[in-house]
Amino acid sequence: QVQLVESGGGSVQTGGSLRLSCAASRYTYRRYCMGWFRQAPGKEREGVANIDSGGNTRYADFVKGRFTISKDNAKNTLYLQMNGLTPEDTGTYYCAALMGWTSVPLARHTYSNWGQGTQVTVSS
């Protein structure tokens, strides 16, 4: 198992930017996939983006061209740079990880490790 702690959420206006971070506890897996999910009030949790140990990335259609996922292996930290935010991006953003696998889809049931979430609020 790996522990995940998100940070970087906040409140911005439409068109603004935020960078989320997810600090992971030390792990020895050479193959893994880490991702970002979000959940708006009254809605199901949905996948935003993921990246695996090979650097392969996957994005949900609704964030392509606006969000960028990256990782710093030396710091065991995952990032999500969010630009061009709109009120529809409001929600709690969660970091997730699956150890031992790569090329994992953006499906929440696939991931076994979750952070506590960080709130993102975008006002019009």
Side-chain angles (χ1 to χ4, degrees), residues 25-73:
S25 60
R26 289 178 60 87
Y27 52 85
T28 57
Y29 293 91
R30 297 180 65 181
R31 292 162 57 89
Y32 60 84
C33 189
M34 300 183 72
W36 290 97
F37 288 74
R38 70 185 188 185
Q39 188 167 17
K43 295 187 177 181
E44 293 189 352
R45 192 171 300 186
E46 59 183 357
V48 175
N50 69 11
I51 184 168
D52 67 21
S53 47
N56 302 301
T57 58
R58 188 170 306 190
Y59 293 92
D61 288 342
F62 55 79
V63 302
K64 284 182 179 178
R66 300 189 299 129
F67 293 7
T68 303
I69 191 170
S70 63
K71 58 186 176 72
D72 186 328
N73 295 327

Side-chain angles (χ1 to χ4, degrees), residues 1-4 24-29 97-99 111-114:
Q1 297 296 320
V2 60
Q3 283 71 50
L4 305 169
S25 60
R26 289 178 60 87
Y27 52 85
T28 57
Y29 293 91
L98 179 66
M99 299 291 114
Y111 295 80
S112 53
N113 303 276
W114 292 88

Side-chain angles (χ1 to χ4, degrees), residues 1-23:
Q1 297 296 320
V2 60
Q3 283 71 50
L4 305 169
V5 179
E6 302 97 332
S7 62
S11 297
V12 297
Q13 293 187 328
T14 297
S17 298
L18 284 173
R19 189 176 82 153
L20 306 183
S21 299
C22 173

